Amino acid sequence: MVAGYDLRLNLSYFIGKKYEKTVMDKINEVSKKYPAFNVRLFYSEDDNLTSMLKDFAKRYDGKVNFDIRISATDYQQRNDVCWYQILSEQDYKKFREDLPYSGRYFWTLRSIDEENLLKAINHFESILQYISEPKVMKKQKRNDDI
């Protein structure tokens, strides 16, 4: 179980685009392997996504294996720090200025497209795999009998 490992992503990167379902399916696939993480989606008021949110909620409410929290602000409060964030270079610079220590891991997108978003989600999955796999304890080699 990987409780407490939240993924944060800008909703405007994929909502309403032809690869929206692919991105959500990939996150859902990861959540089936590593349950108990939340997905925090955010958007800026400037993105004008309010008309699309109701349809988005209908498409995915109860159909995905993870909890979704959608925030209408792109700013994170100090007590709302997310463990892994996928951000564009512009968003990354903005967050580093506003809140210098807002998260543990960042994946910075050079361009916002399906391929880069899937690479970022795959990286998130690889980190979850690493932290959840059993650790092999190597037997200490002793040289007392020399």
Side-chain angles (χ1 to χ4, degrees), residues 4 13 24 31 37 46 55 58-59 75-76 80 84 117 121:
Y13 295 168
M24 291 300 286
S31 71
F37 72 84
D46 299 337
D55 292 334
K58 283 181 185 178
R59 281 193 298 273
Y75 182 76
Q76 251 187 137
D80 194 33
Y84 190 93
L117 284 169
I121 296 166

Side-chain angles (χ1 to χ4, degrees), residues 4-129:
Y5 299 102
D6 297 341
L7 172 65
R8 188 165 186 265
L9 180 62
N10 192 332
L11 189 57
S12 65
Y13 295 168
F14 64 92
I15 190 172
K17 305 224 170 40
K18 64 182 179 179
Y19 52 86
E20 173 188 309
K21 183 170 175 14
T22 308
V23 169
M24 291 300 286
D25 287 346
K26 181 60 181 172
I27 296 171
N28 198 37
E29 178 186 318
V30 173
S31 71
K32 288 178 182 174
K33 293 179 191 174
Y34 306 99
F37 72 84
N38 297 322
V39 175
R40 299 180 189 188
L41 301 172
F42 71 95
Y43 64 95
S44 173
E45 292 294 332
D46 299 337
D47 295 337
N48 296 323
L49 298 180
T50 51
S51 62
M52 301 167 85
L53 289 176
K54 188 174 182 179
D55 292 334
F56 180 82
K58 283 181 185 178
R59 281 193 298 273
Y60 298 106
D61 186 38
K63 296 177 181 128
V64 291
N65 199 38
F66 52 89
D67 293 331
I68 299 174
R69 289 180 20 193
I70 298 176
S71 174
T73 179
D74 50 6
Y75 182 76
Q76 251 187 137
Q77 300 298 323
R78 286 201 185 272
N79 59 355
D80 194 33
V81 173
C82 201
W83 187 74
Y84 190 93
Q85 298 188 56
I86 300 172
L87 301 171
S88 68
E89 289 182 349
Q90 179 183 350
D91 285 343
Y92 177 77
K93 288 176 186 173
K94 180 178 175 185
F95 285 125
R96 296 311 282 180
E97 290 172 7
D98 293 344
L99 194 59
Y101 300 102
S102 61
R104 177 163 278 174
Y105 295 101
F106 290 94
W107 181 275
T108 307
L109 301 168
R110 295 194 196 286
S111 63
I112 301 168
D113 59 14
E114 179 181 8
E115 180 183 352
N116 286 324
L117 284 169
L118 293 177
K119 280 182 186 178
I121 296 166
N122 285 332
H123 184 256
F124 174 65
E125 180 180 15
S126 70
I127 292 175
L128 290 177
Q129 179 183 3

